[in-house]
Amino acid sequence: MATKTHMVTCRLDDRDYGSLHENASALDVAPSTYMRYLIRIPVSACPDPKGSRVLVVDAKTLGALRYELVRWGRHYNQGVHALNAIAYAARRKAPERDYFVQQIGIATDKLDAVEEGRRRLEGRIDELEGSIVVGDGLCRY
């Protein structure tokens, strides 16, 4: 991380000071780190006439999204692996009914876990879209 050599000082009223500390605490970061996050919000985060906007995601949330996507990949891979095992066994010899049932069950469970994770991630993204990115004036979300 780059060395921080510049200091910025500003005056805040009680409401803004409280918000600074509340929001920093909610993100589990120091107030100075929270202010750096806010500074990095591009000016283009204000809505343009076409209705698009920039959504700023903190590192903690991004990590959770990444974790969920990796988890999907693993479950998907395991589900497809179980289906490939069935196909391999069917080509080599007629698999026994119990083997089929077991492998289909494994594949179904893993692919259901992918769908469950997708729904959970969709919900988290919906929450992010509804969150306030910046307040005051024209850039209020």
Side-chain angles (χ1 to χ4, degrees):
M1 182 178 272
T3 305
K4 296 164 190 77
T5 58
H6 303 282
M7 182 179 278
V8 176
T9 304
C10 68
R11 296 182 185 274
L12 300 173
D13 62 21
D14 289 339
R15 186 177 134 242
D16 287 344
Y17 185 79
S19 291
L20 169 66
H21 286 274
E22 268 182 49
N23 294 340
S25 178
L27 293 174
D28 198 24
V29 298
S32 58
T33 301
Y34 178 68
M35 289 179 70
R36 281 188 212 94
Y37 288 168
L38 293 176
I39 289 167
R40 292 176 187 148
I41 296 172
V43 174
S44 63
C46 298
D48 69 14
K50 296 175 187 167
S52 65
R53 66 180 176 150
V54 173
L55 183 64
V56 177
V57 179
D58 65 281
K60 194 176 191 179
T61 302
L62 188 60
L65 294 174
R66 180 188 178 283
Y67 172 82
E68 192 61 41
L69 289 173
V70 168
R71 189 172 159 271
W72 283 10
R74 288 185 184 130
H75 286 305
Y76 181 78
N77 187 42
Q78 290 169 349
V80 170
H81 179 74
L83 292 173
N84 284 336
I86 292 169
Y88 177 78
R91 282 193 302 269
R92 292 285 190 215
K93 60 179 174 125
E96 298 168 15
R97 182 183 182 286
D98 290 343
Y99 177 78
F100 255 137
V101 170
Q102 177 190 22
Q103 292 301 312
I104 294 277
I106 290 170
T108 300
D109 289 346
K110 297 302 179 181
L111 295 174
D112 284 348
V114 170
E115 178 58 19
E116 175 192 328
R118 186 201 62 76
R119 278 192 231 110
R120 213 173 28 250
L121 186 59
E122 183 180 30
R124 290 197 66 177
I125 290 172
D126 287 344
E127 288 172 16
L128 284 173
E129 284 182 328
S131 66
I132 293 177
V133 174
V134 119
D136 234 4
L138 298 175
C139 290
R140 183 156 191 103
Y141 293 111

